[in-house]
Amino acid sequence: MRAKAASLWLLLWMLAVGCQALTSVDCQAATQNHSGSAGAPVKMHRLAKADLSPPSRLVPVNAQPALPDSLRGIIRRVALPAGDKRLALTFDLCERAVHVTGFDAALVDVLRKENARATFFAGGKWMRSHPEATMSLMADPRFELGNHTWTHANLAVMQGQKRIDQVLWTNAQAELLREELDARRVKAGKQALGPKPLTLLRLPYGRGGAEAVAAINGLGLAVIQWDVVGEGGGGSVAARAKAIAEAVRPGSIVLLHANQVPKDTAALVRALLPLLRQRGYATATVSELLQAGAPETVDDGYFSVPGDNRIYDNRFEDNGTGGRAKAGATSGKQ
Ligand SMILES: [Zn+2]
């Protein structure tokens, strides 16, 4: 149990600092396998100076549908009708202001080979630094994209217009890339896909709270958490895949990552998918689960135990978008 808790803390730390937690050799290794179906490789690296620049479009031009009342709150899982054994694998694409992260093309290849459906929560700045990977995901009907804020902001700490911008800039960036994708499709003689505003959002660090969630819901996005933490358990890939397969229920939402932090998600998912099939599960996007059942919500988000993500509220400077803070630099801002 102690080992499991230690592993979870290591995972939380890695997610918090991104490539900082890896040695430079690890970082290099983590960027080797990016080519393939998802486009040109992007090297994971730390920036000399935080990049807080906005996207070239600040507000989406396409209408955002209003969020139905039934989808308000922080959604942990979906209660499905009896006999429906679908669940959602979700992959975050996190990128803070201080670094450029990777893209796990090997993972996406595994999903495609197994014909698995999946939801990717992409940071807006990540989409800007990974345009080809983003468009590749957008073009695949098995996948859907959601919003993971512009620079992986802690929305429980960030307030007002800055918080709104983190959401709108990300939807605007997705819109720009969808337009580029459609322009390429039309040029190639294919039918345009048309606009598709992002309607789901994953809170970085799972941090939100009633006020932030109401603001996000007011912008037309549902807040999607998870009931199963996919990465971070102890032991071999096979043991961790088995632990996930035993933890899920119909309607579960599984938290995983596709930005190569951590690095072995492709192997984990390769081992997991057959185990899920053996147990009668099928994959669905989060939107498909929401269409089929009733969301189960909580008042405040967490990883595995309520309160286990509050450490992120004073750890980073610049309201969670910059680098590591000096002690106490953001205390009292919440
Ligand atoms: Zn994230």
Side-chain angles (χ1 to χ4, degrees):
M1 199 64 201
R2 274 178 83 134
K4 194 173 176 187
S7 299
L8 178 61
W9 280 109
L10 176 62
L11 171 73
L12 299 183
W13 173 245
M14 287 173 71
L15 300 181
V17 300
C19 216
Q20 278 182 76
L22 310 171
T23 67
S24 58
V25 173
D26 286 337
C27 281
Q28 268 187 348
T31 60
Q32 294 300 308
N33 195 22
H34 283 202
S35 57
S37 58
V42 176
K43 190 171 168 55
M44 183 151 44
H45 61 281
R46 191 170 175 82
L47 302 171
K49 184 170 172 289
D51 179 0
L52 294 164
S53 62
S56 58
R57 179 180 295 171
L58 300 180
V59 178
V61 297
N62 292 305
Q64 179 88 19
L67 189 72
D69 284 345
S70 61
L71 299 184
R72 289 182 176 271
I74 297 176
I75 297 169
R76 293 277 293 182
R77 63 183 303 280
V78 180
L80 295 175
D84 189 340
K85 284 193 75 175
R86 289 179 297 166
L87 52 76
L89 301 180
T90 67
F91 299 90
D92 291 359
L93 292 158
C94 322
E95 187 172 285
R96 293 190 293 119
V98 291
H99 60 187
V100 171
T101 58
F103 173 61
D104 196 342
L107 161 71
V108 176
D109 287 345
V110 169
L111 293 171
R112 285 180 169 144
K113 189 161 170 260
E114 298 282 339
N115 203 27
R117 306 181 76 75
T119 301
F120 293 83
F121 290 98
K125 178 172 159 290
W126 185 92
M127 288 191 272
R128 186 174 66 181
S129 59
H130 299 75
E132 299 301 329
T134 304
M135 287 188 282
S136 169
L137 295 174
M138 283 177 171
D140 194 320
R142 289 166 290 205
F143 302 151
E144 73 174 338
L145 257 68
N147 182 319
H148 199 38
T149 78
W150 182 249
T151 50
H152 211 256
N154 181 333
L155 297 187
V157 174
M158 189 170 270
Q159 304 283 321
Q161 189 59 40
K162 282 179 109 176
R163 182 158 65 193
I164 299 293
D165 287 345
Q166 284 281 332
V167 179
L168 290 183
W169 290 3
T170 302
N171 269 37
Q173 181 64 49
E175 191 177 76
L176 286 168
L177 288 171
R178 200 165 173 93
E179 288 171 7
E180 168 67 17
L181 173 64
D182 268 353
R184 291 185 190 183
R185 287 176 66 90
V186 169
K187 202 172 169 189
K190 296 178 186 169
Q191 199 174 2
L193 298 172
K196 190 177 182 188
L198 306 185
T199 58
L200 308 175
L201 181 141
R202 171 153 287 158
L203 298 165
Y205 319 108
R207 290 294 296 127
E211 188 196 326
V213 172
I216 297 160
N217 289 166
L219 294 171
L221 290 97
V223 174
I224 309 298
Q225 267 222 324
W226 54 81
D227 64 332
V228 175
V229 176
E231 295 134 336
S236 65
V237 163
R240 285 183 282 139
K242 185 163 174 278
I244 299 170
E246 288 172 351
V248 295
R249 295 183 283 159
S252 274
I253 299 173
V254 184
L255 169 66
L256 294 151
H257 292 77
N259 61 339
Q260 300 224 325
V261 183
K263 295 185 298 183
D264 61 357
T265 304
L268 186 64
V269 171
R270 190 181 292 116
L272 173 63
L273 287 170
L275 297 180
L276 294 177
R277 259 200 311 274
Q278 285 165 20
R279 287 164 170 78
Y281 287 106
T283 54
T285 64
V286 170
S287 291
E288 287 166 343
L289 290 188
L290 291 172
Q291 281 160 17
E296 294 183 5
T297 60
V298 292
D299 292 334
D300 204 1
Y302 54 88
F303 282 99
S304 300
V305 181
D308 64 4
N309 53 354
R310 288 180 176 270
I311 56 167
Y312 294 109
D313 287 1
N314 61 4
R315 179 159 283 181
F316 299 103
E317 63 191 6
D318 196 18
N319 286 338
T321 67
R324 286 188 67 197
K326 296 178 186 74
T330 61
S331 61
K333 283 193 176 178
Q334 189 171 0

